Structure formats: structure tokens, C-alpha cells
Amino acid sequence: MNTPLADALRPKSLDEVVGQRHLLGEGMVLRRLIESGHIPNLIFYGPSGVGKTTVARIIAASTGKLLRRLNGTTCGTADLKEVFDQRDTLDGRGGILLYLDEIQYLNKKQQQTLLESIEDGSVTLIASTTENPYFYVYGAILSRCTVFEFRAVEPAETARAVVRAFGKAEELFDSRYSLEDGVAEYIASACGGDVRKALNAVEALCAASGEQRVTLDAARQVSQRSAMRYDRDGDAHYDILSAFQKSMRGSDENAALHYLARLLEAGDLLSACRRLLVCAAEDVGLAWPQILPVVKAAVDSALQLGLPEARIPLADAVILVATAPKSNTGICAIDAALEDVREGRGGEVPDHLRDGHYGGAQKLGHASGYRYPHDFGGWVAQQYLPDPLREARYYRFGENKTEQAALEFRRRQRAGRD
């Protein structure tokens, strides 16, 4: 068989597309656009193997436009101009539909060239990308396109595609395949929402099995680690890190452990350690200040041990952070202070706080009138902030036990001394 199984099974209609019901289900906007025949400039964004190219091909087949395909990894400005020049040919009189895969790899000059040709409507752009277009695509192009996000396909949807793939393979290979219980479901789960990867696994199993029974063990061998969808520079990286910290912040230790496992399985030990330290300071913070050295010790141990043993202290630290009391008063306080500084709200340091350790300081009035708190039992009323901010209040005590104890100490300390 020369044609890959994934291509042999490529859907010819929207109803045959696996998954993406949020885009292609009855009444959904993208489906209605396609069925109307009036196709605007589109950008399809999502992971590999979820139907972006397939849907673009279905759209192209349903229009009377001249279809041209380019890939952002290989095309240059000359390739784009060659496509656009075809508007003046007999074939291009009805308009051109340009399918541009991996648009994120075009540089700014190439994207500007593209922009010039999609503005007048003679070229309709359908672009696809595995990266977030709001980070990688020129803003002027984005403003002229409608972005649709494709999602990883659910295992139940993928399993149906796997069963169909085995049936198609029987025709192509002229063989009969007997599946051990759980084979289709395992491949569907292990592919990580990538239908193309699942179909490639089916093709490999069929080629290797001959007339034999397709076993679950063989399915595991061809699908190993394929469920991991992770790119240290891509959306998956930041999405997992975001979910990791939000789960700890939300006191859900089970979810936090799940996202830690995904980070560690991808070998991203440093990101897990960094986010743990951030969460301990930002989200537990002053509710339990002692957590910082504890988490730091766990991180140091993990980095010294390396994987796989690093998972042990990190799991302990994640559970500790997730189950600890929470307070964000520290980060709120410093962010409020930074806002004043960045907005130019400040003023001169009060004279009594200025440096007085040099000749002439007294003559200038620097450090004059400073009251040494220890001479007054640890606290004495005096101004510390610059005049324009003398009433500013950045830190507000949290409702947790530790900060309330600190607030009560302050009240006792200052009682009758104002």
C-alpha cells in the first residue's frame, strides 16, 4: 500500500470529520459559513492531527476558486507572489483560495506581502497553525481573518475512527484482522487527541501483524508515549504550567499532582521547580511564611537527585503547597507599590530618613530628627513615606491565622503610642 492509511481515510465531507463538533456541528458558525459558500479569510489554530488540513480541503473542494497550497516552513516571498500573479490568468478569474499551512513560520515581510493580496478579496486565505496566532501572526492579518480553534479529539471519537481504520486496512492489505479487547480504546487514549497519530499506529499494527491477532501489547508498543503533547516553547507548555499553579492555588492537590506528572513525564523538571517556588511565595505567602524554605529544600533535593527520583520531594512539596492556607497579600502589596512608582507617584525621601553618614549631612538637614525605634521600645510614630504618598496603604493583613496574629501584635505594640 503506497497511500498512507490516514490519507486513504481522509474525510470528504464535514459529517465525516472526527471531532470538532463545537465548530462543525449542526448550527455552528464555521459549518454555516462553509455551507453558505461565502468563505472569508480564516485561520485554523490547534494541535496536529485534529482536522485543520482536512476541513480546509473540504472548503476548497466546495468553492469554484483556484486552489493553491503553500507551507510556511518552505515558501518564500517569490512563492507567494507567484500565487498572486495567477489572479490575472484564465484559471484565476473566479478568485484564488490559498491554503497556507504553518503560517507562523512566515516572517514579517512575507506576512506583509500576504496582507496586500487578501485585502481586495481576490485571494481568500485559509491558514493553519499549531501555535497561538495571537502571538505569531501579524496583527493586520489577524484583523482581516476569523480565527477558529480546533481541539484535541476526545478518545471516544478517536476510537470510532480507529475501528473504521482497521476496516479500511483490511481492504487495502487484503487481510483480516482480529483485535484483542481494548486495542481500539487504548490507541484512541494513547494518541493524545491526534487522530493522524492513531491512524498511523493502526497502519503500523496491520503491517506488522499480517494475518495474526492484533494484541494489546503490540498496541502499547506502537503507541508508547504518544499521548504526551508538549512543546517547551508552545501553548501546551504554558497551558500545563498555568493549570499546575492554578490547581495548587485552588487547593486541589490531585489536579496539581496530575499536572506535575505531565511536566515530569515530558522531562521538564526546571519548569516544575520554578513554578513551585513561585506558588509558595505568591499563593501561600504570609499565611505560612515558613513554607518558602521548606519548598526550596524540596526543589534543591529534586535538582540534586534528578529524574526519576526527583518526583518524590516534588510530590511532597506540591501536596504541601496545595493543602496550605493561602494568602496573596504580599504580591498585592508589591504590585500596588510598583504601580505608584511606574506612574510617577512618589517624591523626595523625607529628610529625617536620608543618609547622614558624611560630612555636611547635618548642614543639609539630612537625618536630622530621625527617631531610633529601639530607643522607644521597638516602635515610634514618625513619617516614612514621601509626602505625596504619606497616606498610602499597600499591604492589608489577610484573614488567615498568621497574619491576624501579626495584626494583633501591631495593635498591642502601638496602643497608646500614636
Side-chain angles (χ1 to χ4, degrees), residues 227-232 234-248 255-266 268 271-272 275:
M228 286 301 301
R229 184 169 62 84
Y230 190 81
D231 180 349
R232 295 193 189 192
D235 279 359
H237 168 79
Y238 295 106
D239 288 346
I240 291 172
L241 285 178
S242 176
F244 179 45
Q245 181 164 357
K246 287 172 181 173
S247 298
M248 288 188 286
L257 287 167
H258 169 77
Y259 293 114
L260 173 66
R262 289 171 71 163
L263 290 166
L264 297 184
E265 188 66 11
D268 198 352
S271 292
R275 197 54 67 106

Side-chain angles (χ1 to χ4, degrees), residues 232 260 264 267-277 295-315 317:
R232 295 193 189 192
L260 173 66
L264 297 184
D268 198 352
L269 178 59
L270 289 177
S271 292
C273 290
R274 180 180 180 276
R275 197 54 67 106
L276 249 176
L277 288 167
V295 171
K296 176 62 163 57
V299 165
D300 288 346
S301 297
L303 293 175
Q304 187 172 10
L305 288 168
L307 289 170
E309 288 81 2
R311 74 191 190 283
I312 305 169
L314 290 185

Side-chain angles (χ1 to χ4, degrees), residues 109-248:
K109 181 179 178 181
Q110 290 168 337
Q111 292 193 36
Q112 287 173 327
T113 301
L114 181 61
L115 175 65
E116 295 169 5
S117 299
I118 65 174
E119 284 190 298
D120 63 4
S122 60
V123 173
T124 300
L125 173 68
I126 301 180
S128 69
T129 174
T130 55
E131 304 291 351
N132 192 326
Y134 295 98
F135 296 155
Y136 292 94
V137 178
Y138 189 37
I141 290 179
L142 276 176
S143 69
R144 291 161 176 81
C145 295
T146 303
V147 178
F148 289 99
E149 182 178 4
F150 284 59
R151 299 171 185 166
V153 180
E154 293 295 323
E157 288 274 351
T158 307
R160 288 192 284 271
V162 169
V163 172
R164 289 200 301 271
F166 276 110
K168 186 68 173 179
E170 289 184 342
E171 296 178 22
L172 297 172
F173 283 106
D174 192 21
S175 298
R176 298 290 295 175
Y177 300 107
S178 172
L179 306 186
E180 189 173 297
D181 288 346
V183 166
E185 291 76 13
Y186 180 83
I187 295 172
S189 297
C191 73
D194 185 330
V195 178
R196 186 190 304 117
K197 188 179 290 184
L199 299 185
N200 289 341
V202 171
E203 184 172 0
L205 283 170
C206 291
S209 297
E211 297 288 340
Q212 301 175 18
R213 184 172 175 79
V214 179
T215 65
L216 188 57
D217 181 62
R220 289 194 180 101
Q221 291 180 48
V222 300
S223 306
Q224 56 185 330
R225 292 182 63 87
S226 63
M228 286 301 301
R229 184 169 62 84
Y230 190 81
D231 180 349
R232 295 193 189 192
D233 296 318
D235 279 359
H237 168 79
Y238 295 106
D239 288 346
I240 291 172
L241 285 178
S242 176
F244 179 45
Q245 181 164 357
K246 287 172 181 173
S247 298
M248 288 188 286

Side-chain angles (χ1 to χ4, degrees), residues 349-356 358 360-370:
V349 174
D351 283 343
H352 61 282
L353 299 184
R354 299 179 76 168
D355 180 23
Y358 61 92
Q362 187 175 5
K363 188 175 181 180
L364 294 172
H366 294 179
S368 178
Y370 173 63

